[in-house]
Amino acid sequence: DLIDLWAAVRGVSIAEAMTEAKAHLGIRDDMPKQPEKSYRRPTKPQCHTPKAGVREWLTSRGLTERTIEAFKIGEQVRDSKTFAVFPYLREGELVNAKYRDIADKRGMRQEAGAEPCLFGWHLIDPKTRSIAITEGEIDAMTLHQAGIQALSVNAGAGNHQWIESDWERLDRFSEIFVCFDDDEAGKKGAKEVIQRLGVDRCKLVKFGAKDANQWLQDGADGEDFHAALKQARPVDPDELVSIADFFGQVKAMLYPAASDEPIP
């Protein structure tokens, strides 16, 4: 579209093209500025390139070594426990880091005082207009491996602080695929995210399993994931109903003799 053309001609990112186009048209963003919050940038985690523990854990979940390296996953051994380190990189800067005990999902923590943001920004094409958002880092890695641009939330389905932090960066996407887990918490969180990011540009994705990575482990391939995104649909408001729900009554009103349905 014209935004893509502007970005191509001027050699800028989609976000920059949108800003320049607004200035050219005299459009101002009049949303009130919120006081900027202060966050602490973490130091580089004490970890090393994944070896037996983390590497075997991730590859057993269907991820390739190329994917592990692309996301710069690290390995940390602390108190006789092995942790996978997920670095949150954005614009060349370490914004946050998440640590996951590979033997116990409950053993999970993030850097104290770090900015809540999405995982995987360093791999997103600056000219892409579509993005998938998952509930977990490994799910985002799974979609990336399938050739789908993907990010992950940092604190599960119920915490949406990342929206405030990454709002302006998400503004350039005209299509957002929400890929949360197929459970009660995931469905609730997906609906909340769609309402906040905009029902006009969000679509809800359903995989053939609880989440993207589980589907990969069950045997899904790249074609399956791309098909799931093609089948994604917007979330209609509760007040919106199908015309099919009224077809019988309308038919009865227009052709009383051809229908046995009572006219209300």
Side-chain angles (χ1 to χ4, degrees):
D1 60 17
L2 289 176
I3 297 296
D4 291 305
L5 179 61
W6 188 298
V9 171
R10 295 181 179 266
V12 297
S13 68
I14 293 297
E16 292 169 327
M18 293 176 69
T19 300
E20 292 179 5
K22 286 179 181 179
H24 176 72
L25 296 171
I27 298 174
R28 296 182 302 168
D29 292 322
D30 289 330
M31 290 294 291
K33 290 287 186 180
Q34 299 294 327
E36 291 190 6
K37 296 183 179 179
S38 177
Y39 298 106
R40 183 180 67 83
R41 289 291 187 257
T43 57
K44 184 178 180 180
Q46 297 296 315
C47 60
H48 53 75
T49 302
K51 297 180 181 178
V54 170
R55 187 171 294 274
E56 289 180 2
W57 177 63
L58 292 174
T59 54
S60 71
R61 302 187 66 161
L63 299 179
T64 65
E65 293 194 6
R66 183 176 180 180
T67 298
I68 297 170
E69 292 171 2
F71 282 89
K72 303 183 185 299
I73 307 303
E75 178 175 311
Q76 181 186 89
V77 178
R78 178 167 47 86
D79 298 330
S80 301
K81 297 179 180 180
T82 300
F83 294 83
V85 182
F86 298 90
Y88 281 60
L89 302 167
R90 193 180 65 194
E91 298 165 359
E93 185 178 18
L94 179 65
V95 179
N96 195 358
K98 193 169 181 179
Y99 304 82
R100 160 73 189 273
D101 184 344
I102 64 173
D104 185 358
K105 186 176 181 179
R106 295 171 297 177
M108 188 181 301
R109 68 180 181 87
Q110 298 183 51
E111 292 285 350
E115 179 182 356
C117 69
L118 292 166
F119 171 78
W121 274 117
H122 68 291
L123 294 174
I124 303 303
D125 184 342
K127 290 184 171 57
T128 189
R129 302 292 298 278
S130 299
I131 194 69
I133 300 180
T134 70
E135 191 178 322
E137 294 86 357
I138 294 179
D139 293 321
M141 295 171 70
T142 298
L143 294 185
H144 170 86
Q145 186 168 292
I148 297 169
Q149 301 270 297
L151 299 165
S152 169
V153 304
N154 69 303
N159 189 321
H160 310 315
Q161 292 179 312
W162 54 269
I163 294 180
E164 181 179 346
S165 296
D166 280 332
W167 177 262
E168 293 184 358
R169 296 174 184 85
L170 293 168
D171 189 44
R172 66 181 168 103
F173 298 112
S174 57
E175 190 173 40
I176 298 176
F177 296 98
V178 180
C179 309
F180 279 24
D181 292 359
D182 188 19
D183 56 20
E184 184 176 349
K187 292 175 182 178
K188 180 176 183 294
K191 187 173 183 179
E192 294 169 350
V193 166
I194 289 171
Q195 290 293 327
R196 293 186 62 179
L197 294 183
V199 295
D200 57 313
R201 62 174 177 159
C202 290
K203 294 180 180 179
L204 185 63
V205 179
K206 293 185 178 180
F207 298 123
K210 177 177 177 290
D211 56 40
N213 185 253
Q214 185 59 58
W215 202 26
L216 175 67
Q217 294 182 64
D218 291 345
D221 58 20
E223 291 185 3
D224 294 321
F225 286 106
H226 283 275
L229 263 63
K230 287 182 179 179
Q231 295 168 7
R233 294 291 180 267
V235 176
D236 294 329
D238 296 335
E239 297 81 2
L240 185 65
V241 295
S242 171
I243 190 173
D245 295 339
F246 302 98
F247 180 77
Q249 294 179 0
V250 173
K251 180 181 177 182
M253 294 176 66
L254 297 176
Y255 306 101
S259 176
D260 296 330
E261 293 196 26
I263 301 175

